[in-house]
Amino acid sequence: MTGGPTVGGPDEPVRDPGAQPERTWLAWRRTTLSCAVSVALAARVALAEPSGLAVVAAGLGALAWVGLLVTAHRRIGALAQARPGTMGAAQTAGTLLCVLVLIGVGGMMLV
Amino acid sequence: MRDRISETVRLWFAPQRLRDEGTTPDYRFSLANERTFLAWIRTALALVAGGIAVDQFLTDLRWGVRTGVAIVLLAGAALCAFRAVNHWVRCERAMRRGEDLPASRFPVLLASGTALAALLVIAVVVLGLAGR
């Protein structure tokens, strides 16, 4: 055995043997899945006892989930580089915004 | 103190400004920091799901108790989310400056809160107080 896994030809940069980028994009995927749980719960309320507020809240939740999905997707694209840089504002502020919108959705469900 | 706080908050929304100081650490350390951030975000999301679920499924509880529990969970989620970004910024900055990683009391607070909640639930179940 010689070194870590070599993907592609000899010109291609050798990927990190610790699979750090892969682990990180899986973490992004797990996070979008966790987000989907809250959105599904909100959608359940909107379907079980449909009121104007519940439907609006569920819609907002779905929008936040799509936002997180797009954020994660773009970050996963950036992670495909050989030396990925740190997160940008889209990731830190975007993720924070999505979670805060979901908290707002949860608050609307209580009314 | 106030300047330091506002400077850190500015970094939440413009993390590219971190590059102005220090040297770029090994990208694997940054990715580990990112995964820690995401783990805290998932904690926040789990608390949101818990908050919504309590309101929907614990219908045997009185309205006030149910709403109170849900609000505590949602507030905890907001705290976790802000803390996730803040801690990520502070760790990233410490790594760039070559300083020690910041120590934090937050995990202990969250663990104590969870343990307290669990004990409360045990007490409620054992004493049969819920919904009777």
Side-chain angles (χ1 to χ4, degrees):
Chain A
M1 282 295 285
T2 51
T6 44
V7 185
D11 292 336
E12 209 151 305
V14 178
R15 292 306 300 263
D16 169 25
Q20 300 271 347
E22 287 81 356
R23 280 156 66 190
T24 309
W25 70 249
L26 282 170
W28 276 103
R29 284 282 173 251
R30 283 201 294 280
T31 308
T32 46
L33 275 174
S34 315
C35 181
V37 174
S38 302
V39 176
L41 280 171
R44 186 188 168 276
V45 180
L47 291 175
E49 38 202 275
S51 67
L53 192 67
V55 172
V56 168
L60 266 178
L63 220 61
W65 182 71
V66 171
L68 190 62
L69 200 66
V70 170
T71 308
H73 193 77
R74 289 177 51 188
R75 181 61 184 155
I76 287 169
L79 286 172
Q81 296 162 10
R83 290 260 178 282
T86 52
M87 290 194 287
Q91 277 76 42
T92 54
T95 310
L96 183 63
L97 188 73
C98 289
V99 177
L100 292 180
V101 167
L102 272 181
I103 292 169
V105 169
M108 285 164 85
M109 295 284 162
L110 298 181
V111 179
Chain B
M1 182 70 185
R2 261 184 81 165
D3 284 353
R4 265 220 340 257
I5 291 174
S6 69
E7 176 56 33
T8 308
V9 170
R10 220 169 295 144
L11 282 173
W12 293 0
F13 300 102
Q16 65 276 9
R17 286 168 45 134
L18 280 167
R19 289 188 208 127
D20 293 347
E21 51 183 320
T23 51
T24 306
D26 185 331
Y27 76 97
R28 284 172 291 187
F29 298 153
S30 289
L31 290 183
N33 193 18
E34 182 172 336
R35 289 196 295 277
T36 309
F37 162 77
L38 288 172
W40 279 107
I41 289 291
R42 284 195 296 280
T43 307
L45 287 170
L47 286 170
V48 175
I52 300 178
V54 161
D55 190 54
Q56 275 190 68
F57 297 114
L58 298 188
T59 42
D60 286 350
L61 288 180
R62 263 177 289 134
W63 180 84
V65 177
R66 195 164 31 117
T67 307
V69 171
I71 286 175
V72 167
L73 288 173
L74 291 176
L79 206 64
C80 266
F82 279 113
R83 194 268 178 187
V85 179
N86 190 45
H87 197 70
W88 178 82
V89 162
R90 288 177 61 201
C91 284
E92 203 66 32
R93 194 168 51 189
M95 287 195 293
R96 295 195 71 94
R97 289 176 180 168
E99 293 170 352
D100 289 342
L101 291 183
S104 171
R105 266 184 229 105
F106 191 82
V108 160
L109 276 176
L110 188 68
S112 312
T114 310
L116 201 71
L119 289 175
L120 217 66
V121 170
I122 291 172
V124 167
V125 169
V126 168
L127 300 175
L129 296 172
R132 260 163 243 176

